[in-house]
Amino acid sequence: MIVEVLWADLSNLLQTHRGVIEGVSLVILGIGVLINVISVLQLPAALSELLRHSRAEDRDATWEVLISDVAMPVSVLVPAYNEEATIVDNVRSMLFLQYPDLEIVVVNDGSRDATLERLIAAFALSPVVRAHELALPHAALRGLYASPAWPGLLVIDKHNGGSKSDAINAGINLSRNPLFCVVDADSLLEADSLLQTVRPFMENPDGMAAVGGTVRVLNGCTVENGQIVTVGLPRKFLPSVQNLEYIRAFLVTRLAWSHWRMLSIISGAFGLFRRDLALEIGGFAKGSHGEDYDFIVRLHRHLHDNKRPYEMRYLPEPVCWTEAPEDLRTLSTQRRRWQRGAMQVLLANARMIGNPRYGRFGMLGLTHNLLVDVIAPVAELAGYLFLPLFYLSGALDGAFLLAFFGLFVMLGVFYSVCALILEEIELKRTPGVAGLIMIGLVAVIENFGYRQLNSLWRIRGLWEFLRGTHGWGEMQRRGAMRAPADAGPGATVGVVGYAAGRGGATLYAIPTPEEHEIGR
């Protein structure tokens, strides 16, 4: 009885203020329409950028780089914390990358498991001394390890610095090459990825600041001796929907913003950077929860402030494979951290947002990020909570509500289908027609539960940021790239596990905030 009376009073109140209700509904709808319009505009931009990369021509030029003597030396930095399940296969795959001048720097960031011990045993490492400059701050080193059998491998053992950034900074200090590539310890690079990623630096050695490649979900693939031998699709829903998110994020969002010269993030799972510029801006920020996003925005700011011409590019073809979370707890931790990281970056660089001094990146790129990372989650939650309430109270027309949700579901599916078409044009990493159909079904199903859950995680991350919550969070590893103990040499295993990057799905069709990894 009391509930009925309260509901009647609320309904009367809402109907009395019907004009306000309609105004709020239109604001929510307007934000959604704006985000969808931007997302639709990304499609032709992404296609245009994709057409610049002829796969056949790139392959020919790639092998010319391999046999040439002008390839720029590259250091691959692999920050590792509690990675005993995957670290040996990961490092082995890095050592066999096709590149003429390469060093691998593994940074054991105070792991509490057997990460260091497994590296020492697998590669016959022993303590060494290497002269280096402490240009960037990081936690104290405990030792350096190398082996005559693997002259291109250096393992840094250090105290835990509390963040991935601290480990990366230590790797930068100890690296010796002008370019460095950061690769997550749960990721695998395709053999010719570095050959393709380095080409923009060779074409524009003074102006190219950073280059990013595609990151794809490793779950469902088979791995042998640290190399992917069969590309497959995840068998579980969570990694399957993340696979779709990564396709949208990298083959539409990243391509489009690279085309517009407003790339705001290069995934921490796979990016190539100039060491001198990293030193100029103080390396990676230790306190950031989105170190890849923060690094790129600070790099934009530094180069604009010093009026230096520069370019950042995303390439669709070089591919890095990373594990995706298979449980809700791990995925929630990841997405909340990405949201906190986005808020940190936008607050720290607030003066750049909408500022013509920073060109199109400040005027449009960061303004778009503000819309997607801050305004959209709040408006989306308001839409989920208030629009059904307005309808049930009689203050909002049912046709409006139905059109609202129907429009965004259809646009979301359309966007996903277009992303799959682009994927088939360039990468062709989805196995068979059945695989495409399965991903298409995921694009429909994700609208009914997963996207709403993602929205709640983003709001929770926003709230954690406002409360000053810190911490990286524990990420569960499933040992995806490790052969079972009873498997013989060359055993093949299915892949499951954790993903790195940033991203997230929204009611407003198109998970874009990774959609700056995803990725973050």
Side-chain angles (χ1 to χ4, degrees):
M1 184 67 178
I2 296 177
V3 173
E4 292 178 357
V5 172
L6 291 175
W7 176 251
D9 290 342
L10 178 60
S11 299
N12 291 332
L13 178 64
L14 293 175
Q15 291 180 26
T16 302
H17 297 85
R18 193 180 184 93
V20 176
I21 298 302
E22 292 177 349
V24 171
S25 301
L26 288 174
V27 169
I28 294 173
L29 177 63
I31 294 172
V33 169
L34 177 59
I35 292 177
N36 275 279
V37 167
I38 295 172
S39 299
V40 171
L41 290 176
Q42 290 175 356
L43 293 171
L47 178 60
S48 177
E49 187 72 5
L50 192 63
L51 293 177
R52 292 181 54 194
H53 303 278
S54 167
R55 195 160 186 259
E57 292 178 2
D58 282 355
R59 290 294 183 186
D60 292 342
T62 293
W63 292 111
E64 291 176 6
V65 173
L66 179 61
I67 62 176
S68 73
D69 58 357
V70 296
M72 300 176 70
V74 173
S75 299
V76 176
L77 311 185
V78 186
Y81 176 70
N82 292 346
E83 303 284 358
E84 64 176 8
T86 62
I87 191 63
V88 171
D89 275 330
N90 175 275
V91 173
R92 186 174 290 122
S93 71
M94 299 299 165
L95 288 169
F96 287 99
L97 288 172
Q98 295 162 345
Y99 199 79
D101 195 347
L102 180 68
E103 73 167 346
I104 311 297
V105 180
V106 182
V107 185
N108 179 46
D109 193 25
S111 297
R112 295 176 295 178
D113 63 3
T115 297
L116 180 63
E117 289 74 13
R118 294 201 173 185
L119 285 169
I120 291 174
F123 300 103
L125 302 176
S126 58
V128 296
V129 176
R130 172 183 283 198
H132 62 279
E133 180 182 2
L134 294 175
L136 301 177
H138 57 75
L141 303 185
R142 296 190 296 203
L144 304 177
Y145 297 85
S147 170
W150 304 97
L153 174 63
L154 175 71
V155 174
I156 303 170
D157 183 35
K158 61 183 286 291
H159 290 282
N160 182 261
S163 70
K164 179 180 173 182
S165 299
D166 193 83
I168 296 174
N169 286 341
I172 294 173
N173 279 344
L174 271 294
S175 66
R176 291 176 168 173
N177 293 330
L179 299 179
F180 69 92
C181 175
V182 179
V183 179
D184 283 343
D186 60 347
S187 303
L188 291 175
L189 290 179
E190 291 190 351
D192 62 348
S193 292
L194 285 181
L195 289 171
Q196 299 197 53
T197 311
V198 79
R199 285 186 58 209
F201 288 96
M202 298 176 64
E203 295 166 357
N204 184 10
D206 296 324
M208 190 60 60
V211 175
T214 295
V215 178
R216 292 294 300 270
V217 169
L218 188 58
N219 308 51
C221 301
T222 52
V223 177
E224 182 176 339
N225 297 325
Q227 298 294 319
I228 296 175
V229 295
T230 304
V231 174
L233 293 177
R235 297 176 179 86
K236 297 182 180 180
F237 176 74
L238 280 183
S240 294
V241 74
Q242 291 171 79
N243 182 50
L244 177 61
E245 287 179 321
Y246 275 57
I247 292 173
R248 286 189 301 233
F250 285 93
L251 291 182
V252 179
T253 306
R254 295 283 176 86
L255 266 178
W257 290 95
S258 177
H259 179 75
W260 292 329
R261 301 296 184 264
M262 291 182 280
L263 195 61
S264 63
I265 182 171
I266 289 176
S267 175
F270 180 35
L272 191 61
F273 312 96
R274 279 173 49 185
R275 185 176 184 272
D276 61 335
L277 292 180
L279 294 177
E280 288 178 20
I281 66 173
F284 285 71
K286 180 178 178 180
S288 176
H289 293 160
E291 78 292 331
D292 46 4
Y293 187 10
D294 174 85
F295 182 83
I296 293 300
V297 173
R298 286 193 295 117
L299 193 54
H300 276 288
R301 187 179 68 197
H302 173 73
L303 294 170
H304 269 287
D305 285 344
N306 289 277
K307 297 180 171 55
R308 292 161 63 177
Y310 70 97
E311 185 180 356
M312 298 184 192
R313 287 181 62 185
Y314 161 76
L315 301 178
E317 177 58 24
V319 174
C320 172
W321 297 85
T322 190
E323 300 176 63
E326 292 200 332
D327 63 276
L328 289 173
R329 182 177 179 181
T330 303
L331 185 58
S332 169
T333 299
Q334 180 195 67
R335 298 304 166 91
R336 290 179 356 243
R337 174 172 57 82
W338 287 353
Q339 184 65 29
R340 296 196 305 269
M343 296 299 298
Q344 285 179 321
V345 171
L346 292 173
L347 182 63
N349 298 279
R351 66 184 179 91
M352 295 179 66
I353 300 174
N355 189 341
R357 175 181 177 180
Y358 296 97
R360 66 176 74 179
F361 179 74
M363 289 290 292
L364 299 176
L366 283 183
T367 302
H368 171 262
N369 292 0
L370 176 67
L371 173 66
V372 169
D373 287 331
V374 181
I375 298 174
V378 176
E380 181 177 357
L381 181 64
Y384 286 135
L385 294 177
F386 295 137
L387 294 188
L389 178 64
F390 295 163
Y391 165 70
L392 292 174
S393 67
L396 185 67
D397 184 68
F400 178 90
L401 183 64
L402 186 62
F404 178 80
F405 286 102
L407 173 66
F408 292 122
V409 169
M410 287 189 295
L411 283 174
V413 173
F414 169 75
Y415 190 83
S416 298
V417 170
C418 290
L420 287 175
I421 292 172
L422 292 179
E423 199 271 349
E424 279 300 293
I425 291 175
E426 177 65 16
L427 297 181
K428 297 180 176 63
R429 298 299 198 279
T430 300
V433 176
L436 292 172
I437 293 174
M438 191 182 84
I439 296 177
L441 290 175
V442 170
V444 176
I445 297 171
E446 69 166 337
N447 295 284
F448 305 98
Y450 175 77
R451 287 171 62 170
Q452 291 76 15
L453 187 59
N454 227 316
S455 300
L456 290 176
W457 290 334
R458 296 181 65 199
I459 291 296
R460 185 176 171 186
L462 178 59
W463 176 245
E464 290 173 347
F465 170 78
L466 295 175
R467 292 183 58 193
T469 300
H470 300 286
W472 195 259
E474 291 292 332
M475 293 296 171
Q476 298 298 319
R477 307 296 197 200
R478 300 297 185 89
M481 291 176 285
R482 180 182 58 183
D486 59 350
T492 301
V493 295
V495 175
V496 291
Y498 158 71
R502 313 180 47 242
T506 72
L507 164 70
Y508 299 132
I510 333 268
T512 15
E514 139 109 291
E515 257 163 35
H516 302 295
E517 215 125 3
I518 279 174
R520 334 250 140 36

